[in-house]
Amino acid sequence: MQATRLTLRDFRSYSAAEVRFGPGLTVVSGRNGAGKTNLLEALYFACTGRSCRTANERECVRFGAAVMRLELCCEDDQGTHDLSVGFQPGEPKRLRVDGAPVERLTDAAARPLVSVFLPDRLELVTGAPALRRAHLDQVVAALRPARAAARRSYSAALAQRNALIGAIRAGRAGRGSLSAWDAELARHGVELMADRAAVVEDLRPRFAAHAAGLGLTGDPEVSYRPRSKAATAAELAAELAERVESDLDRGFTGHGPHRDELLLRRDGRELRAYGSRGQQRLGLLALLLAERETLAESRGAPPLMLLDDVMSELDAGRRTRLVELLRAGGQSLITTTDLAHVPGAEDHDVARLAIAEGAVLQEAA
């Protein structure tokens, strides 16, 4: 599935724009503040129904406008598909696939899978474990669509167990129902842990290879560290039962897959705590490339890859290596302030967009 055309209305700095993308690499150039990152965010938003930059999506509506709208045209072997997102602050989003309203774009088969690298997304390496868990679960859902509901089922059971713990603490309920929710949480929990472990095992050799290829020295590795040692639902339920008193003391469930960790390490030390900013960027990029390769093998095509300002801290050799990987297959967009920073940007099979002040000034291939 490829994105061919994006129409923006009142999104961030864009009052109105229509952008066409090449089937392979598209290079988006412009000075800082011109709107390059906004364009990548709009494309991500049109593919997923959510922003990749902010939880406060009111920020995505252009200042002075009441509503923003994105329309994305995609193509695959079966034909063309249209995705649209309408958003007015204070109102539910209006999401459509081929004209039909949907609850979530991420559940739609008729959309490009998408991966994004932003400088701000370095928090995925340096931030709280919850960010890495959420990212890992998104990768699980992309690789194994039939397993996407496991995370939602676990979250629902966790919320119910936490609500019951709160009621017990307040004297509004007894402990009799806890064992039932332990069993329910454990049932979904072991499935979630198994999905995560299998995906990380697939990513592990690819991450190491890409990290080394990008110049991350040492012994780079990605690994999954579950909080629980349980191998079965019964074992996880027993672990939860053992911790009931501490859960009642703190007021929430303190054990289970919602406390797991995805680790990025170099020479056995976490990049989060011990890596330089440059090493952290390379680790994040290697993770995204490993996911891209794994998705390509599993789903038959790599995801659309959006890379914002990725070249600014890479030397010439690493820039060349990255572009070679991207041009080997699949669709990707790279933003830059200088075309010279992207090896091969002037080649005939590379599409080029020039952006200034929230407008697309040039489109060439």
Side-chain angles (χ1 to χ4, degrees), residues 269-284:
R269 307 179 77 185
E270 290 186 50
L271 287 176
R272 176 185 61 82
Y274 299 104
S276 68
R277 179 178 173 84
Q279 290 168 342
Q280 291 167 349
R281 283 172 66 97
L282 291 177
L284 174 57

Side-chain angles (χ1 to χ4, degrees), residues 13-29:
S13 55
Y14 293 89
S15 57
E18 182 174 289
V19 184
R20 295 181 181 272
F21 308 107
L25 176 62
T26 297
V27 180
V28 183
S29 63

Side-chain angles (χ1 to χ4, degrees), residues 141-162:
L143 281 168
R144 306 175 176 202
R147 303 298 305 148
R151 180 67 176 87
R152 292 195 289 269
S153 297
Y154 180 83
S155 296
L158 179 63
Q160 291 289 343
R161 189 179 190 273
N162 284 341

Side-chain angles (χ1 to χ4, degrees), residues 12 19 45 102 108 122-123 136 148 160 188 196 255 260 266 269 276 297 301 318 338:
R12 296 268 189 190
V19 184
F45 208 135
V102 296
L122 200 59
E123 199 174 54
L136 177 56
Q160 291 289 343
H188 297 301
R196 289 172 173 174
H255 183 71
D260 290 352
R266 171 181 169 270
R269 307 179 77 185
S276 68
E297 182 180 277
R318 291 168 181 171
D338 187 343

Side-chain angles (χ1 to χ4, degrees), residues 166-236:
I168 294 171
R169 279 165 56 93
R172 300 192 306 272
R175 300 189 182 196
S177 300
L178 264 176
S179 60
W181 282 112
D182 287 353
E184 181 73 1
L185 192 63
R187 180 169 68 88
H188 297 301
V190 293
E191 293 177 352
L192 183 58
M193 288 191 296
D195 289 341
R196 289 172 173 174
V199 166
V200 174
E201 185 60 25
D202 285 342
L203 293 176
R204 190 173 55 78
R206 293 183 169 107
F207 173 83
H210 284 300
L214 290 168
L216 184 59
T217 57
D219 184 18
E221 64 172 328
V222 60
S223 61
Y224 172 54
R225 186 174 67 192
R227 172 63 64 95
S228 170
K229 303 299 183 184
T232 67
E235 290 175 358
L236 180 53

Side-chain angles (χ1 to χ4, degrees), residues 23 44 46 49 64 77 81 86 126 156 167 183 185 209 218 232 289 311 328:
Y44 184 92
D77 293 340
H81 301 279
T126 63
L185 192 63
T232 67
L289 289 171
M311 298 298 187

